[in-house]
Amino acid sequence: MRLKEEYSHNVDDYDDQVSETMSQLSVGALQQQQQQKNVVVVGYALTSKKIKSFLQPKLEGLARNKGILFVAIDQNRPLSDQGPFDIVLHKLTGKEWRQILEEYRRTHPEVTVLDPPDAIQHLHNRQSMLQCVADMNLSDSYGKVGVPRQLVIKRDASSIPDAVARAGLTLPLVAKPLVADGSAKSHELSLAYDQYSLQKLEPPLVLQEFVNHGGVLFKVYIVGEAIKVVRRFSLPDVTKRELSKNAGVFRFPRVSCAAASADDADLDPSVAELPPRPLLERLAKELRRGLGLRLFNLDIIREHGTRDHFYVIDINYFPGYGKMPGYEHIFTDFLLSLVQSRYKKRSC
Ligand SMILES: Nc1ncnc2c1ncn2[C@@H]1O[C@H](COP(=O)(O)OP(=O)(O)OP(=O)(O)O)[C@@H](O)[C@H]1O
Ligand SMILES: O=P(O)(O)O[C@H]1[C@H](OP(=O)(O)O)[C@@H](OP(=O)(O)O)[C@@H](O)[C@@H](O)[C@@H]1OP(=O)(O)O
Ligand SMILES: [Mg+2]
Ligand SMILES: [Mg+2]
């Protein structure tokens, strides 16, 4: 750990020093600063979109005041020549990058890499993504959490109607690309009303039963031990009548994006009520352990007409934390807690 008692007396002084472009500092200079001031250095490898939404001035400012410094990782230079880092934050795709990170984890066990690339990879497939929730079979006095019934279609669209009939899936179905790697294509979803039209879809995909949920979903953001829940508008319920009158496959846009916040909406209380906190705590804890991840969110819906039947429909690695209320404090506290627990372990 690079934190020092006297650091708190030197914040202004320190601010001036770090406002020079940190990413241009040589390893030697950064190391010297770390030793002198006990700074927690967080290297980040993120897309420009992510940097814009996550690394907002308020986060960087608060981090600086807490002795945390964010430094951009240069992908064109060896990781070992950069930093030294206490923590590495990343959300980039590609096999080559994964291998670089794995190698770095192996050779730098003192650095916390958030999170392990192979654990993240598990979320890039919509079949394996929900497996952990399905296996958990979570059911207690606060409610039940499951996943919608789903079928994976790897190839041959003409076989889909038969496969759906054999699996006994109930229409309507949500068709999702099997790969969920963050590309625009991986977010292209459709709603299918009839069995015959399913042939128009393009495998590989997952066909998931659509669960009526009153048009509102809950996004549960997880940062280590911390949990924050927000409401978002979602697809409206499909009635039996609508189902019998409609046919076809309809592409739908990103319905539950940040602009679709339902936190201040005037909703039916039975729809708006957040899932019970103890249930979410348990779910988050088991997922953290099962997935081996500390930074993710999940979309969870309440089956309409029930009080406590929930379904997890999506899990995302390093989601848009910029929209999570109070993320600046939660995230910086989390980063500090990581370094402190490492320090404690070492001194034990
Ligand atoms: N099984 C389902 N039942 C009801 N609605 C669903 C179901 N699956 C998805 N939806 C709706 O479709 C939306 C998009 O689905 P999903 O979250 O799986 O896609 P995504 O592209 O991975 O989203 P994100 O932007 O959160 O990564 C959800 O927000 C929800 O409104
Ligand atoms: O862009 P936004 O801020 O909306 O964040 C979204 C994020 O995009 P980003 O990674 O480019 O930030 C998405 O990541 P990819 O899978 O597409 O990579 C995904 O995690 C969404 O679930 C996030 O929305 P949220 O679930 O948090 O509302
Ligand atoms: Mg989602
Ligand atoms: Mg998703």
Side-chain angles (χ1 to χ4, degrees):
M1 171 158 107
R2 298 179 173 87
L3 268 179
K4 225 190 215 168
E5 303 302 323
E6 75 260 29
Y7 164 70
S8 55
H9 304 297
N10 286 325
V11 171
D12 293 341
D13 184 23
Y14 167 72
D15 271 5
D16 292 341
Q17 291 178 37
V18 293
S19 56
E20 23 174 321
T21 45
M22 286 307 305
S23 49
Q24 285 163 17
L25 277 181
S26 67
V27 171
L30 187 51
Q31 209 158 20
Q32 204 180 358
Q33 268 210 350
Q34 284 173 290
Q35 278 158 6
Q36 281 169 4
K37 302 291 179 193
N38 282 323
V39 178
V40 175
V41 180
V42 180
Y44 63 87
L46 302 168
T47 58
S48 50
K49 177 173 169 264
K50 199 65 161 177
I51 293 172
K52 199 165 164 235
S53 72
F54 173 71
L55 264 187
Q56 292 176 20
K58 196 167 167 207
L59 174 73
E60 281 202 285
L62 183 70
R64 207 182 300 137
N65 288 338
K66 290 182 173 181
I68 302 166
L69 195 62
F70 288 103
V71 179
I73 287 173
D74 180 350
Q75 275 184 268
N76 299 315
R77 285 173 48 217
L79 269 180
S80 307
D81 293 356
Q82 302 178 57
F85 303 120
D86 295 288
I87 295 166
V88 167
L89 276 181
H90 65 98
K91 185 172 178 178
L92 294 176
T93 46
K95 199 167 170 199
E96 212 178 314
W97 171 247
R98 274 205 310 279
Q99 282 168 348
I100 292 174
L101 271 182
E102 287 295 7
E103 173 68 7
Y104 183 72
R105 285 181 73 216
R106 211 174 47 74
T107 51
H108 294 75
E110 75 286 2
V111 181
T112 304
V113 175
L114 288 173
D115 279 299
D118 55 346
I120 297 172
Q121 201 58 17
H122 203 70
L123 296 186
H124 286 176
N125 174 305
R126 293 193 194 265
Q127 184 180 28
S128 51
M129 171 199 280
L130 299 180
Q131 196 55 50
C132 193
V133 182
D135 294 344
M136 210 183 291
N137 232 329
L138 180 48
S139 174
D140 63 19
S141 55
Y142 292 102
K144 247 173 91 160
V145 182
V147 300
R149 291 203 304 152
Q150 65 178 35
L151 180 65
V152 179
I153 307 287
K154 293 256 168 74
R155 59 188 84 82
D156 188 12
S158 64
S159 70
I160 304 179
D162 265 359
V164 166
R166 258 183 281 122
L169 291 191
T170 306
L171 293 154
L173 298 175
V174 188
K176 310 183 182 189
L178 182 59
V179 174
D181 60 359
S183 60
K185 203 164 170 48
S186 71
H187 293 296
E188 285 178 3
L189 275 60
S190 315
L191 192 59
Y193 283 92
D194 73 292
Q195 209 162 309
Y196 181 74
S197 304
L198 291 168
Q199 295 177 83
K200 293 185 202 152
L201 292 167
E202 279 175 48
L205 44 85
V206 162
L207 294 173
Q208 201 173 78
E209 283 189 346
F210 179 86
V211 178
N212 280 343
H213 53 284
V216 170
L217 67 71
F218 307 101
K219 266 196 189 275
V220 182
Y221 289 92
I222 291 155
V223 178
E225 310 262 297
I227 302 177
K228 273 269 175 195
V229 192
V230 299
R231 289 183 198 90
R232 295 268 173 89
F233 283 112
S234 175
L235 291 177
D237 290 352
V238 178
T239 62
K240 285 216 171 76
R241 197 179 137 78
E242 269 168 339
L243 185 63
S244 64
K245 280 174 70 183
N246 286 306
V249 178
F250 301 93
R251 274 269 284 278
F252 61 89
R254 296 189 73 171
V255 276
S256 308
C257 60
S261 171
D263 277 326
D264 301 322
D266 186 15
L267 300 167
D268 176 342
S270 69
V271 169
E273 193 190 351
L274 299 180
R277 188 85 199 169
L279 192 68
L280 292 183
E281 301 265 358
R282 222 180 122 186
L283 177 64
K285 188 173 170 200
E286 303 223 359
L287 280 179
R288 262 195 311 267
R289 210 179 31 151
L291 295 172
L293 296 172
R294 282 161 285 192
L295 299 176
F296 57 99
N297 76 358
L298 51 97
D299 295 343
I300 185 167
I301 55 181
R302 175 192 285 112
E303 187 171 6
H304 204 181
T306 76
R307 204 177 56 81
D308 57 4
H309 283 190
F310 297 95
Y311 292 87
V312 175
I313 54 169
D314 185 27
I315 306 180
N316 302 294
Y317 184 65
F318 205 139
Y321 284 121
K323 293 156 296 171
M324 165 180 151
Y327 89 104
E328 300 90 346
H329 287 275
I330 293 173
F331 215 95
T332 47
D333 285 349
F334 167 65
L335 294 173
L336 289 182
S337 75
L338 286 180
V339 182
Q340 270 147 13
S341 63
R342 276 210 164 222
Y343 183 65
K344 264 192 215 141
K345 258 190 223 153
R346 243 180 269 159
S347 51
C348 283

